[in-house]
Amino acid sequence: MSKDILIGIDAGTSVIKAVAFQLDGTRAGIATRRNSYTTLPGGGVEQDMQRTWADTASVLADLVKEVPNLSSRAIGIGVTGQGDGTWLIDDAGDPVHDGWLWLDARAADEAARIASGPGKDTIYQATGTGVNVCQMRSHLKWMQTHAPELLDRAATAFHCKDWLHFKLTNVRATDPTEGVFTFGDFRTRGYSGAVLEALGLEKQRHLLPPILDGAAQTHPLSAEASAATGLPEGLPVSLGYVDIACTGLGAGLYDPQVQAGVSVLGSTGAHLRFVRDVAGVTLNPERTGYTLAMPGGALAQFQTNMAATLNIDWMLGLAADMMRAQGIEPARDAILAGLDAQVMAAPAGAAMYHPYISAAGERGPFTDTSARASFTGLDATTSWGGMMRAVFESLALATRDCYAAMGPMPAEVRLSGGGARSTALRQMLAAALGVPVRTVAQEEAGAAGAVMIAGIALGVFEDAQAATEAWVSPLLQAPEPPDAALADTFETLFEAYTTTRAALSPVWAAQAQMREKLT
């Protein structure tokens, strides 16, 4: 039987997936398992590393059962997973502690000190990446002071996908995205001694594994992993890039001709801009965002909102609560069915909303853990529909705010995630950005991107451009150009949006002090 299946692993925060793709990019099967993590006092968020591997092995075993003759048809595996965080192992390859997720906020003070310290410019100029509480560099600084015994026992510091790749192959490595944007130089794609010195982490250099490009090299599936998954020993395994880079690749980011952008509008918002080479990278004065290595010397700049469609969910939840108070059990599908029309019928600018509904504040295109959502400009004529329209407008304005921090606006923006299904939101995004938007009919873009990287290493695709043309271009929907009148409206809205955002900063600080006193 011919080998005609590539397997993608996407170990996300909520779900671990194993997806089988045929060589034309169509999905042959999928297996999933809900993820599990623990929230601790003081901001800690941890995940059992052994359970994460066991769950990953289980979804691979389930996929073997679902797809006929998968073991004999498989060409290789690509693995990606949730970004940032810290997953420590010892010399024997066993976890030192549970993995720290990107949600972990206990190192907030350390991150603030790094971001305001004397080495801040050295770090940002080299990595092209702002300092966040969720990053390994912040976590390691916290451990230096509060848990040095963890560092003493550790031999290697992984991210989630690195841990899974290790369990699949026994190879200790990280990829060019997470290794470089945390501790390296995006120009050389290697670790930077100057960055480690600026961080005060020179003594932890031995914890950093070699940087391995999964688009150029694979390693064989180990005997132990073969027994756990049912896949053949020796099957090539590629260490993919961080999940958002893989999602961007699977959603059409890699397009040197168009120089596109990709916005993933899920619970959070992720916005990427394709950059041909290091000369095209734009660093911003606020020192925010990420710079990600991509295959073939290209890069992606990345800004992320802590909350995107979570803002819509919050507003719909308020409406549902009011209906329940009247003895009416809300039907979510019925509410959603008329939402686009109701939003577009409401007047533009009836209120101004800033979509910082996450209790963690905001990190793109500015970093402020005290930032909170707010309505301004309300009066007695403002309707619920007007407020909902303001929420929709805010997601488009926040997206523009992120792209503005990354340099030139892309010529076209490709959309993924649940929010991309809203006609009203797509129209607003096109108008706010001033460029056409288009959706991509790839439901598993993260796993697809990991498999595309593996396919390059395995010779299935000549390069990232060929992979994109084969797997992504046929799935791109027709472009939706911006409406000229609506674009003029968003020019006016954006000026007010950014002015109001700047004015709210001291308000957020005062409210944070208020909350601290009241708890």
Side-chain angles (χ1 to χ4, degrees):
M1 181 170 292
S2 62
K3 293 185 178 294
D4 62 347
I5 296 287
L6 288 162
I7 300 170
I9 299 169
D10 186 358
T13 310
S14 301
V15 180
I16 298 174
K17 305 173 185 177
V19 188
F21 294 93
Q22 298 180 83
L23 294 186
D24 63 358
T26 58
R27 197 172 76 187
I30 182 171
T32 66
R33 183 162 295 202
R34 294 293 301 178
N35 213 345
S36 176
Y37 55 82
T38 302
T39 301
L40 306 173
V45 182
E46 298 178 352
Q47 187 165 312
D48 186 317
M49 293 174 63
Q50 295 289 22
R51 175 174 175 174
T52 303
W53 161 242
D55 286 344
T56 301
S58 294
V59 296
L60 287 170
D62 290 344
L63 192 68
V64 169
K65 295 174 184 176
E66 178 182 341
V67 179
N69 303 308
L70 178 60
S71 292
S72 59
R73 297 169 64 189
I75 300 170
I77 300 172
V79 56
T80 188
Q82 55 177 290
D84 285 321
T86 305
W87 301 52
L88 300 176
I89 66 170
D90 61 19
D91 282 324
D94 296 322
V96 168
H97 191 69
D98 287 346
W100 289 27
L101 270 63
W102 66 272
L103 294 165
D104 195 295
R106 75 188 92 181
D109 290 343
E110 285 73 18
R113 281 192 286 270
I114 297 169
S116 61
K120 60 183 183 297
D121 290 326
T122 296
I123 296 166
Y124 184 63
Q125 290 296 322
T127 64
T129 298
V131 176
N132 287 318
V133 64
C134 58
Q135 294 165 342
M136 183 187 288
R137 53 194 178 189
S138 301
H139 292 170
L140 293 183
K141 290 297 291 181
W142 188 95
M143 292 176 190
Q144 274 186 335
T145 302
H146 302 284
E149 69 279 3
L150 295 181
L151 299 180
D152 291 341
R153 292 167 50 203
T156 308
F158 281 151
H159 298 93
C160 177
K161 63 176 173 13
D162 308 334
W163 162 245
L164 296 178
H165 176 262
F166 172 73
K167 294 299 291 183
L168 291 164
T169 65
N170 292 321
V171 173
R172 300 182 189 230
T174 192
D175 77 295
T177 52
E178 294 201 279
V180 172
F181 73 59
T182 310
F183 300 111
D185 189 322
F186 68 84
R187 299 164 187 82
T188 65
R189 300 197 177 206
Y191 292 125
S192 166
V195 168
L196 289 167
E197 182 179 356
L199 289 165
L201 290 172
E202 305 100 310
K203 292 183 179 179
Q204 281 68 50
R205 173 63 180 84
H206 68 283
L207 297 179
L208 306 184
I211 294 174
L212 169 68
D213 189 349
Q217 188 177 4
T218 64
H219 289 87
L221 189 72
S222 69
E224 298 84 357
S226 174
T229 63
L231 292 167
E233 181 179 354
L235 183 69
V237 180
S238 164
L239 175 58
Y241 297 178
V242 68
D243 59 351
I244 188 59
C246 287
T247 298
L249 189 60
L253 180 68
Y254 201 101
D255 194 330
Q257 283 70 45
V258 174
Q259 297 196 54
V262 163
S263 285
V264 183
L265 300 171
S267 297
T268 61
H271 313 289
L272 300 103
R273 180 178 81 93
F274 179 82
V275 182
R276 289 179 187 268
D277 52 40
V278 296
V281 171
T282 300
L283 302 180
N284 59 70
E286 292 78 19
R287 296 186 295 273
T288 62
Y290 288 65
T291 299
L292 310 176
M294 296 293 283
L299 302 102
Q301 292 197 254
F302 168 48
Q303 290 275 353
T304 178
N305 309 121
M306 290 297 292
T309 59
L310 278 177
N311 293 276
I312 297 173
D313 293 341
W314 168 70
M315 281 288 285
L316 294 177
L318 294 180
D321 288 344
M322 293 176 64
M323 294 173 69
R324 291 190 185 97
Q326 300 299 314
I328 304 170
E329 185 58 34
R332 181 178 173 83
D333 289 346
I335 296 174
L336 287 173
L339 187 61
D340 275 356
Q342 187 173 6
V343 163
M344 295 307 290
M352 179 66 66
Y353 179 74
H354 286 78
Y356 314 136
I357 201 67
S358 169
E362 188 53 281
R363 61 181 178 182
F366 64 96
T367 300
D368 191 334
T369 57
S370 63
R372 292 295 182 272
S374 60
F375 282 104
T376 55
L378 299 173
D379 62 32
T381 67
T382 307
S383 65
W384 186 87
M387 294 175 70
M388 181 58 86
R389 174 163 182 143
V391 172
F392 273 60
E393 288 171 344
S394 77
L395 300 188
L397 292 165
T399 299
R400 173 167 168 174
D401 209 10
C402 284
Y403 278 111
M406 295 189 287
M409 186 66 66
E412 174 181 289
V413 172
R414 283 91 190 258
L415 304 177
S416 183
R421 291 193 287 268
S422 167
T423 300
L425 188 52
R426 293 198 307 273
Q427 292 175 352
M428 290 184 182
L429 284 163
L433 301 176
V435 300
V437 301
R438 61 199 305 187
T439 56
V440 56
Q442 173 57 269
E443 295 181 0
E444 302 298 340
V451 163
M452 291 163 70
I453 290 171
I456 297 169
L458 295 169
V460 176
F461 308 114
E462 181 178 353
D463 52 24
Q465 182 70 46
T468 298
E469 291 172 356
W471 276 32
V472 183
S473 297
L475 300 178
L476 287 172
Q477 307 301 292
E480 301 179 43
D483 176 83
L486 192 57
D488 288 342
T489 296
F490 270 93
E491 284 298 321
T492 302
L493 290 173
F494 187 66
E495 181 178 357
Y497 177 88
T498 53
T499 300
T500 306
R501 169 164 75 75
L504 284 171
S505 182
V507 175
W508 297 329
Q511 292 178 346
Q513 293 176 0
M514 172 197 71
R515 288 191 296 271
E516 185 175 351
K517 291 179 180 179
L518 293 175
T519 55

